[in-house]
Structures are given as C-alpha cells and as structure tokens.
Amino acid sequence: MADKYDQGKVKMPTIQSLAMTCQGCCLEHSIYFDDIHELLSAFSNLQAIHVGNFYLKTDNHISNLLQAVVAACPKLAVLNISSQRGFVPEYYVMPVIQGLKNLEVLALPYDDVKVYSSSLVNAITENLPKIRSVLGRFMNSGLSKIPF
C-alpha cells in the first residue's frame, strides 16, 4: 500500500498567498503537523497566510498549525490568525515570532478579556526586524516600539 505522501506531490511555486479555513469538519478529526506541513510545502513561495475560522478541538491543533507554518514557510511576510475563535496562547505564538524572521504583518486574535504580555511585545521587537504591523490586544508596555 502506498503512503499517502507518495501519491504525486503537488507543487505550486507561483502561489504567494493562501487562505485556510474549515467549515466545521475539524471538529471531527485532528489537525496533524505532518498534514499541514505537507500542504504548505506545496507552496514554496508563500508570502501571506490567512487562517480563517478553524473549529479546533484542542489547543494542540493551533500549535500544530503554527509549527507547520514556521517549518514550511520561512519566507512568510504576513500571518493573519485573527479569525481564530478564542485566545491563542503566547507559548504558541512565540515560535512564530522566533522562527519567521521575514514577518512584516502579524494579526493575532482579539479577546475582550485576555491580552498579550509585554514580554511578547519585547520578543516581537527583538526577533522581527521587518515587522511593520502587529494587530491584537496587548499590554501597554513597549508598544511604541512597534509600528502599528
């Protein structure tokens, strides 16, 4: 039996932006790192990713998704996960900040109660030299360093 990854890998190098969304099916299955990495690897020149509503069963799914983005899309300039339902914990966002050195725009989910800390803001200013815009709800400390 052939491995599912041996079934003719599709390559689309001319695609520069991608929108990913789910219409509720991810309530029924798991989102695995290998699957997302395989999908994203088909688009070797991705510059922008918009992650629409994913009805993720567990926090582990958003972690797998973000880890795959970092691993497969080193040239990424725009990452928009603002449509995610609920707050995405800082420990899932930190590998994005540390791994995507070309990131210019980062849009995080907005939450009425939870805010991103000043340590995340500091990590952004220290690790993302090309950053031009960060969207989300942050502590006031250090925000002046980031161009909004």
Side-chain angles (χ1 to χ4, degrees), residues 58-64 66-67 70 87-97:
T58 68
D59 280 349
N60 190 35
H61 291 167
I62 190 68
S63 173
N64 287 343
L66 294 177
Q67 286 178 29
V70 171
F87 189 75
V88 175
E90 288 186 20
Y91 49 88
Y92 292 152
V93 177
M94 195 61 77
V96 169
I97 293 168

Side-chain angles (χ1 to χ4, degrees), residues 6-148:
D6 294 332
Q7 298 176 4
K9 293 183 180 181
V10 175
K11 295 293 181 190
M12 298 181 153
T14 59
I15 303 296
Q16 292 187 349
S17 64
L18 179 68
M20 299 168 47
T21 190
C22 180
Q23 300 301 317
C25 64
C26 55
L27 286 172
E28 301 166 9
H29 66 270
S30 295
I31 297 174
Y32 295 107
F33 170 86
D34 291 340
D35 295 331
I36 297 295
H37 187 270
E38 181 73 16
L39 170 69
L40 294 175
S41 293
F43 309 102
S44 57
N45 291 311
L46 272 182
Q47 294 294 309
I49 296 176
H50 170 76
V51 179
N53 288 330
F54 269 72
Y55 298 88
L56 304 170
K57 286 194 298 188
T58 68
D59 280 349
N60 190 35
H61 291 167
I62 190 68
S63 173
N64 287 343
L65 180 76
L66 294 177
Q67 286 178 29
V69 167
V70 171
C73 307
K75 300 175 189 175
L76 200 67
V78 177
L79 179 60
N80 182 350
I81 60 171
S82 64
S83 296
Q84 282 305 298
R85 295 175 182 258
F87 189 75
V88 175
E90 288 186 20
Y91 49 88
Y92 292 152
V93 177
M94 195 61 77
V96 169
I97 293 168
Q98 294 169 337
L100 295 178
K101 299 298 183 190
N102 292 314
L103 208 58
E104 296 177 29
V105 177
L106 177 60
L108 300 171
Y110 182 86
D111 188 287
D112 288 333
V113 178
K114 297 178 182 175
V115 296
Y116 291 102
S117 71
S118 58
S119 63
L120 190 74
V121 172
N122 290 337
I124 290 169
T125 59
E126 292 170 8
N127 292 289
L128 298 176
K130 297 181 179 183
I131 198 75
R132 293 183 296 132
S133 181
V134 179
L135 305 172
R137 189 157 184 238
F138 295 88
M139 300 285 291
N140 290 333
S141 176
L143 290 178
S144 62
K145 298 176 189 175
I146 299 175
F148 286 95

